[in-house]
């Protein structure tokens, strides 16, 4: 799908210091009934964000107006569970372009990269520093520099580098996706298929 | 350089790499693609937006399962959104010439049940589906894993996805399983030891005599749960048990093709001196019937044990407290004797005939507890027919249980099968996340035997006392 190119993102961040945030929390299954990909942001973290009667839960971070920004900072093992890409869509649709954690579940990480969200894995120590910086100042900005593969807490100047493979980095910085790549090699795939025994 | 000894995983993976991208993923060929109504519509929409088609429609199979009702399937689906998704699957399948086993079809059922039972799933294949429990098919010695919708679109349009090759892990379980210890207990035990993220980044091979002696149904239960410790998938080397299961199934190879396939399948095993990135060894005798007490599948333990304290588990205290608070449980409490409200047997984890046989073995001659609502949901119409043919339905009816119609049901509660807020469910499914079985629902994952023991006593009960 088409998404905005990702190069350098400078933004305040929303802290969610909970471990094992699974995709059922990010978007509960009962909201997966759409046949289009827009609008999932309304139900992002639905059951943590709203009471049963649809009134906002005041103690949840997305309902706290002092926190905002295009970066979501989550606890260890973010995005575990179901393969629903809807979880990544919900995060993107809400307005986030980057998720920072000390560890990501595989499928969520892949889904994010495929739709233009950058998952940034940092050390547990650096993650704590980010949480501390946001606690000290909810407007504290982070700079995520994809070309340099570096994340910086601007208030303190502390930074850490992060990994991403060259292919995905090239895609994200140019707004390309895998389907463009695969369509261009269909001849090669056809030859491969002809040799399959099943 | 070391010699070229390779693992079962290497053999299947390497045979499917169309192109290696430097500093990037492999272009990975997919033999079989399963689709269902929830994660495919946006992929088809993508094809239309790009003006591209389905490259090999005969390699994709559609079944409706996630969002289907489990009663009155002959009536129109009441929820308009669900009905719309089912219709989208049907019309997309028709438009692109994809085989479709929709609601009401004799072979309809949960995608990970119908693939194997119809002989679509075979050893040595690569299999994907927009569902994380696709790992189930690894029981046949296939590389099978869940993908996102963007990848569904890739497979439809090019029969390939872009995947970095995962690291390799082997989990060995040897010895004799005790009375009342089932494949579900084996997998819940492994996950409790490795934790919910302990195998992230790895593809797992299960080895050892416990798996060699396991039925195909049991192997599917184990491989199914691989994702619950973060692994992309799990696999078991195919053997005579595998071949006997496949032989004669509708879409399995026949005649000369069978002989050729069998010769290939027999090569699919890990070489003796192959090296894994990580390896674990467990003793079967240490495994009890298991039950979970928290909000991820790694938070499980032997049914006779007390709930651990936060310093005994991995991870932070705040997350642990949040989890126990959600469950309404406390540290050091015993799980035995806890009152339960619902029992769910079914899902791609435990919705096969062997699971219903196990459930019936405890229920037989007993009555459903008055405080329990039980949802008994076969994984497919074929399983449903077996339940009837084998007399299991009579045992269930006699004990006060009703049989529902096939589908994913309360495992993810997309349809009306939702556990009410605050209620406790002993469930044979795969996830005990907050709200997984309905907003506020509290899930205790367990085997069909533990579920049966809870269903007839109304409390968490050690099934060994009823066998």
């Amino acid at each position: 799908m088409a998404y905005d190119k990702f190069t350098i993102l400078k933004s305040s961040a929303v802290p969610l210091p909970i471990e094992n945030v699974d995709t059922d929390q990010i978007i509960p299954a009962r909201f997966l009934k759409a046949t289009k990909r827009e609008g999932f942001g309304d139900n992002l973290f639905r059951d943590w964000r709203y009471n049963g009667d649809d009134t906002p839960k005041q103690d949840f971070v997305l309902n706290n107006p002092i926190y905002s920004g295009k970066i979501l900072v989550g606890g260890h093992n973010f995005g575990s569970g179901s393969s629903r890409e809807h979880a990544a869509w919900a995060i993107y649709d809400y307005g986030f372009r980057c998720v920072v954690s000390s560890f990501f579940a595989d499928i969520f990480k892949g889904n994010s990269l495929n739709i233009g969200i950058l998952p940034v894995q940092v050390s547990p120590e650096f993650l704590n520093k980010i949480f501390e910086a946001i606690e000290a100042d909810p407007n504290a900005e982070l700079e995520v520099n994809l070309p340099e593969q570096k994340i910086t807490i601007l208030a303190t100047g502390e930074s850490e580098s992060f990994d991403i493979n060259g292919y995905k980095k090239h895609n994200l910085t140019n707004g390309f996706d895998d389907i463009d790549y695969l369509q261009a090699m269909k001849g090669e795939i056809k030859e491969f298929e002809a040799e399959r025994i099943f | 350089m070391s010699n070229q000894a390779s693992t079962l995983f290497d053999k299947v993976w390497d045979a499917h790499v169309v192109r290696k991208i430097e500093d990037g993923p492999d272009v990975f060929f997919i033999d079989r693609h399963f689709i269902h109504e929830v994660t495919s519509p946006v992929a088809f929409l993508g094809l239309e937006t790009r003006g591209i088609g389905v490259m090999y429609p005969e390699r994709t199979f559609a079944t409706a399962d996630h969002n289907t009702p489990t009663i009155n399937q002959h009536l129109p689906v009441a929820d308009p959104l669900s009905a719309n998704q089912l219709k989208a699957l049907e019309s997309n399948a028709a438009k692109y010439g994809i085989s479709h086993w929709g609601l009401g079809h004799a072979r309809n059922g949960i995608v990970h049940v119908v693939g194997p039972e119809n002989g679509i799933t075979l050893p040595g294949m690569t299999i994907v589906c927009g569902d994380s429990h696709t790992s189930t098919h690894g029981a046949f010695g296939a590389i099978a894993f869940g993908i996102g919708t963007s990848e569904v679109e890739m497979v439809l349009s090019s029969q390939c996805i872009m995947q970095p090759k995962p690291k390799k892990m082997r989990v060995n379980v040897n010895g004799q399983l005790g009375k009342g210890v089932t494949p579900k207990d084996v997998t819940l035990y492994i996950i409790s030891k490795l934790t919910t993220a302990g195998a992230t980044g790895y593809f797992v091979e299960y080895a050892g005599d416990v798996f060699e002696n396991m039925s195909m149904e049991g192997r599917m239960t184990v491989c199914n749960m691989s994702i619950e410790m973060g692994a992309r998938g799990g696999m078991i080397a195919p053997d005579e048990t595998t071949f006997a299961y496949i032989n004669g199934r509708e879409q399995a190879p026949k005649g000369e093709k069978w002989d050729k396939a069998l010769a290939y399948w027999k090569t699919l095993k890990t070489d003796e001196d192959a090296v894994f990135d990580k390896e674990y060894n467990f003793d079967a005798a240490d495994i009890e019937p298991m039950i979970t007490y928290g909000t991820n599948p790694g938070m499980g333990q032997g049914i006779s044990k007390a709930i651990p304290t936060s310093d005994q588990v991995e991870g932070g205290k705040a997350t642990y407290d949040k989890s126990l608070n959600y469950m309404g449980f406390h540290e050091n409490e015993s799980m035995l004797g806890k009152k339960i409200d619902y029992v769910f047997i079914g899902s791609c984890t435990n919705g096969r005939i062997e699971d219903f046989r196990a459930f019936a073995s405890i229920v037989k001659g007993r009555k459903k507890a008055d405080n329990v609502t039980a949802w008994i949901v076969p994984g497919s119409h074929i399983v449903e027919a077996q339940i009837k043919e084998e007399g299991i339905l009579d045992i269930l009816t006699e004990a006060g249980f009703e049989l529902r119609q096939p589908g994913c049901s309360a495992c993810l509660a997309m349809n009306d099968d939702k556990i009410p807020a605050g209620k406790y469910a002993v469930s044979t499914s795969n996830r005990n996340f907050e709200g997984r079985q309905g907003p506020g629902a509290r899930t205790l994952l367990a085997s069909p035997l533990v579920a049966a023991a809870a269903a007839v006593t109304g409390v968490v009960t050690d099934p060994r006392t009823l066998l």
Side-chain angles (χ1 to χ4, degrees):
Chain A
M1 63 143 236
Y3 53 81
D4 298 336
K5 295 175 189 178
F6 196 116
T7 47
I8 297 171
L9 175 65
K10 207 192 307 182
S11 169
S12 56
V14 176
L16 191 63
I18 299 168
E19 294 158 38
N20 307 319
V21 173
D22 60 73
T23 52
D24 274 85
Q25 307 317 313
I26 298 172
I27 183 89
R30 62 188 190 280
F31 299 111
L32 306 184
K33 295 184 181 184
T35 51
K36 293 191 167 63
R37 48 157 288 166
E38 291 78 22
F40 287 98
D42 292 344
N43 294 312
L44 175 65
F45 293 116
R46 180 75 199 193
D47 294 334
W48 285 352
R49 195 169 148 199
Y50 296 101
N51 294 304
D53 61 1
D54 293 341
T55 55
K57 290 185 179 176
Q58 294 308 332
D59 59 351
F60 186 63
V61 67
L62 293 190
N63 295 322
N64 188 340
I66 68 168
Y67 298 108
S68 65
K70 293 187 169 187
I71 302 170
L72 178 64
V73 188
H76 194 76
N77 192 31
F78 190 92
S80 57
S82 145
S83 63
R84 61 189 70 163
E85 196 167 295
H86 312 64
W89 299 340
I91 288 171
Y92 190 97
D93 193 56
Y94 185 87
F96 294 115
R97 290 295 174 273
C98 174
V99 183
V100 180
S101 173
S102 53
F103 196 77
F104 288 96
D106 271 342
I107 305 181
F108 175 81
K109 193 178 182 177
N111 286 343
S112 297
L113 288 165
N114 282 339
I115 69 153
I117 295 173
L118 179 63
V120 172
Q121 185 166 323
V122 297
S123 66
E125 296 73 31
F126 196 76
L127 185 69
N128 274 339
K129 283 181 184 170
I130 296 175
F131 282 133
E132 283 164 16
I134 302 172
E135 201 178 323
D137 174 11
N139 297 315
E141 285 196 316
L142 304 176
E143 184 185 275
V144 180
N145 186 321
L146 179 58
E148 290 185 15
Q149 296 178 222
K150 198 168 88 171
I151 177 167
T152 308
I153 303 169
L154 291 176
T156 62
E158 290 170 288
S159 67
E160 194 169 273
S161 60
F162 59 85
D163 282 341
I164 181 170
N165 72 56
Y167 167 83
K168 276 291 174 197
K169 181 172 164 179
H170 179 75
N171 271 1
L172 279 174
T173 48
N174 291 286
F176 297 160
D177 73 10
D178 290 347
I179 294 177
D180 302 330
Y181 188 99
L182 291 168
Q183 285 296 303
M185 60 174 286
K186 277 179 103 166
E188 200 176 330
I189 295 169
K190 244 183 207 142
E191 282 171 28
F192 189 92
E193 200 269 349
E195 300 295 315
R196 298 298 308 148
I197 51 170
F198 300 117
Chain B
M1 286 295 287
S2 62
N3 61 13
Q4 289 304 300
S6 56
T7 67
L8 163 64
F9 173 73
D10 290 323
K11 289 176 187 182
V12 181
W13 183 279
D14 296 347
H16 289 85
V17 175
V18 182
R19 182 192 284 181
K20 277 188 175 305
I21 301 173
E22 204 181 321
D23 192 21
D26 289 346
V27 177
F28 192 63
F29 187 83
I30 301 303
D31 292 314
R32 293 281 182 274
H33 181 209
F34 294 107
I35 57 173
H36 61 83
E37 73 276 22
V38 176
T39 57
S40 68
V42 172
F44 283 107
L45 212 57
L47 296 182
E48 269 162 46
T49 310
R50 291 173 200 262
I52 54 179
V54 176
M55 194 172 181
Y56 297 107
E58 70 278 13
R59 290 184 177 275
T60 292
F61 300 80
T63 185
D65 57 5
H66 278 61
N67 204 355
T68 54
T70 55
I71 49 168
N72 296 322
Q73 289 187 348
H74 61 289
L75 297 177
V77 173
D79 175 1
L81 289 175
S82 301
N84 190 40
Q85 265 191 342
L86 295 169
K87 218 175 119 231
L89 184 69
E90 186 180 356
S91 59
N92 286 327
K95 178 173 174 183
Y96 293 102
I98 293 165
S99 129
H100 173 243
W101 295 345
L103 197 56
H105 191 285
R107 295 186 177 273
N108 172 259
I110 304 175
V111 54
H112 310 310
V113 177
V114 305
E117 77 185 357
N118 289 287
I120 301 170
T121 299
L122 300 174
M125 280 183 167
T126 51
I127 300 172
V128 295
C129 173
D131 185 282
S132 60
H133 293 108
T134 307
S135 57
T136 310
H137 307 263
F140 291 79
I143 289 183
F145 54 87
I147 56 174
T149 297
S150 294
E151 291 167 309
V152 172
E153 191 181 335
M154 290 177 213
V155 181
L156 289 172
S157 59
S158 69
Q159 208 57 41
C160 289
I161 53 173
M162 317 282 267
Q163 284 290 314
K165 189 175 177 181
K167 288 182 283 187
K168 292 165 285 184
M169 178 188 287
R170 182 159 61 186
V171 176
N172 305 293
V173 186
N174 285 290
Q176 191 74 38
L177 291 175
K179 185 176 94 165
V181 179
T182 70
K184 182 62 165 294
D185 302 302
V186 174
T187 182
L188 284 173
Y189 178 84
I190 295 169
I191 299 164
S192 75
K193 294 296 175 192
L194 269 68
T195 79
T196 185
T200 303
Y202 293 87
F203 214 95
V204 177
E205 179 178 344
Y206 298 98
D209 45 42
V210 163
F211 303 111
E212 284 162 21
N213 295 330
M214 212 176 252
S215 68
M216 287 315 296
E217 286 84 354
R219 294 178 191 183
M220 284 189 254
T221 299
V222 171
C223 290
N224 172 279
M225 295 285 287
S226 303
I227 181 73
E228 306 311 334
M229 51 188 184
R232 204 61 191 273
M235 63 199 304
I236 295 173
D239 59 9
E240 292 304 325
T241 305
T242 321
F243 309 143
Y245 178 98
I246 298 167
N247 196 1
R249 299 217 173 234
E250 196 193 56
Q251 305 212 12
K254 310 272 185 322
E256 220 172 280
K257 281 187 174 165
W258 171 263
D259 296 337
K260 200 177 155 196
L262 195 60
Y264 171 57
W265 294 342
K266 286 183 173 171
T267 68
L268 296 175
K269 55 182 102 172
T270 292
D271 298 333
E272 226 163 83
D273 40 0
V275 177
F276 290 81
D277 298 291
K278 220 173 209 179
E279 192 146 9
Y280 290 93
N281 292 289
F282 298 110
D283 184 349
D286 292 340
I287 308 175
E288 263 199 283
M290 298 284 293
I291 195 156
T292 63
Y293 56 86
T295 54
N296 73 56
M299 299 175 79
Q301 59 179 2
I303 197 163
S304 67
K305 296 193 169 65
I307 296 173
T309 53
S310 64
D311 56 320
Q312 294 171 309
V313 297
E314 246 183 64
K317 180 168 164 50
T319 298
Y320 189 69
D321 288 349
K322 181 180 188 297
S323 179
L324 287 197
N325 186 42
Y326 179 85
M327 293 302 294
F329 292 160
H330 302 93
E331 295 178 348
N332 293 320
E333 277 177 354
S334 168
M335 289 301 292
L336 291 172
K338 283 197 177 294
K339 191 168 161 287
I340 58 119
D341 309 292
Y342 283 77
V343 166
F344 170 57
I345 169 161
S347 85
C348 59
T349 311
N350 283 122
R352 299 182 183 81
I353 187 61
E354 197 173 85
D355 303 312
F356 296 94
R357 286 182 195 141
F359 189 84
S361 73
I362 283 191
V363 157
K364 191 174 184 180
R366 296 191 170 92
K367 293 282 180 203
K368 182 184 80 63
D370 289 339
N371 62 307
V372 170
T373 302
W375 291 334
I376 300 176
V377 185
S380 70
H381 282 298
I382 291 178
V383 174
E384 184 185 20
Q386 281 175 296
I387 289 172
K388 290 175 182 167
E389 280 160 25
E390 294 187 11
I392 294 172
L393 180 59
D394 299 331
I395 296 170
L396 295 174
T397 309
E398 180 71 20
F401 294 96
E402 284 167 32
L403 186 65
R404 297 173 82 93
Q405 291 171 297
C408 297
S409 181
C411 174
L412 83 166
M414 264 196 90
N415 68 359
D416 291 338
D417 305 346
K418 291 179 174 61
I419 311 295
K423 298 292 183 189
Y424 291 97
V426 174
S427 177
T428 68
S429 55
N430 39 60
R431 288 187 175 133
N432 50 351
F433 297 151
E434 283 185 35
R436 170 76 178 184
Q437 298 195 283
R442 293 157 159 170
T443 302
L444 312 176
L445 297 177
S447 74
L449 289 180
V450 172
V456 296
T457 60
V459 296
V460 174
T461 300
D462 190 331
R464 292 171 293 193
T465 61
L466 303 180
L467 285 170

